[in-house]
Amino acid sequence: SRSPSDRAEGPGPAIDAHALAALRGDMVRFALLQLRNKAAAEDVVHEAIEAAIRRADSFEGGASLKTWVFAILRNRIVDQLRQRDRTVSMSVLIEDDDNWQDGVDQLFAEHGGWRPEFRPAAWPNPEQALSSRQFWVVFETCLEHLPEATARVFMMREFLGFETEEICTTLSITPG
């Protein structure tokens, strides 16, 4: 028997904290594959679980809990990857806290310009950003016109990385 505090209630089905904890291992493996850094993977999984608990009222039960939580995790991973492309962590640059100025100096060449490996990423091209947004609008439109079950299988496989067996089990369908 679980205590009432183990469940987050909202207008949709309740979210069981123990069920979230059971997903944690799969979530960490998924995040680690994407981020290639154990600490960063642990952080995004923690953030995703925390967000799922905070937003329990938005879980309507239309998708499985795992699908819903992995969608949150996927968004956190995308945010982390985008952030990583825009910043250089000082911890990467500085090995000794007492010698931080040397770490900052490592960013620049002798002539004062950026070293190529630390040069800030270029700002995105507005036309490319628009093209990307247009792609996602078209993609979502196409997805909306697929039969619901087909769209769900596609998203589980291509976006969440579920294996065929797991998709079949979750949706109660056969591989054929």
Side-chain angles (χ1 to χ4, degrees):
S1 73
R2 296 188 177 136
S3 71
S5 64
D6 289 344
R7 300 177 72 71
E9 301 286 344
I15 294 179
D16 186 340
H18 295 287
L20 283 174
L23 294 174
R24 189 179 177 287
D26 289 340
M27 294 171 72
V28 170
R29 279 190 293 281
F30 179 74
L32 192 53
L33 281 171
Q34 302 301 319
L35 300 174
R36 307 271 190 222
N37 178 294
K38 186 156 179 61
E42 292 281 351
D43 286 347
V44 296
V45 167
H46 176 80
E47 291 172 12
I49 290 173
E50 182 180 37
I53 291 169
R54 270 195 330 269
R55 294 190 279 160
D57 60 336
S58 68
F59 178 61
E60 298 174 359
S64 72
L65 177 63
K66 184 172 185 176
T67 301
W68 183 71
V69 172
F70 266 76
I72 295 170
L73 176 60
R74 182 186 164 279
N75 290 334
R76 299 293 168 144
I77 291 170
V78 168
D79 291 345
Q80 176 75 21
L81 291 171
R82 287 179 179 153
Q83 180 68 23
R84 188 184 289 175
D85 287 344
R86 290 191 301 253
T87 61
V88 175
S89 171
M90 287 301 287
S91 64
V92 170
L93 303 174
I94 302 170
E95 294 179 11
D96 180 3
D97 288 341
D98 295 332
N99 205 7
W100 70 270
Q101 185 62 46
D102 289 341
V104 171
D105 290 341
Q106 291 175 20
L107 294 170
F108 304 99
E110 291 163 5
H111 68 280
W114 288 98
R115 291 186 185 273
E117 66 271 24
F118 297 119
R119 181 173 288 126
W123 288 95
N125 178 325
E127 289 180 27
Q128 288 174 333
L130 176 61
S131 176
S132 178
R133 272 194 301 268
Q134 289 171 337
F135 167 79
W136 287 110
V137 168
V138 170
F139 176 80
E140 289 174 11
T141 302
C142 291
L143 197 59
E144 289 172 4
H145 286 86
L146 284 174
E148 184 177 340
T150 303
R152 191 168 180 200
V153 168
F154 176 80
M155 293 301 287
M156 290 175 79
R157 178 70 179 160
E158 298 303 320
F159 277 78
L160 298 177
F162 286 17
E163 296 297 324
T164 302
E165 182 180 311
E166 187 176 21
I167 293 169
C168 291
T169 301
T170 301
L171 300 179
S172 301
I173 58 176
T174 63

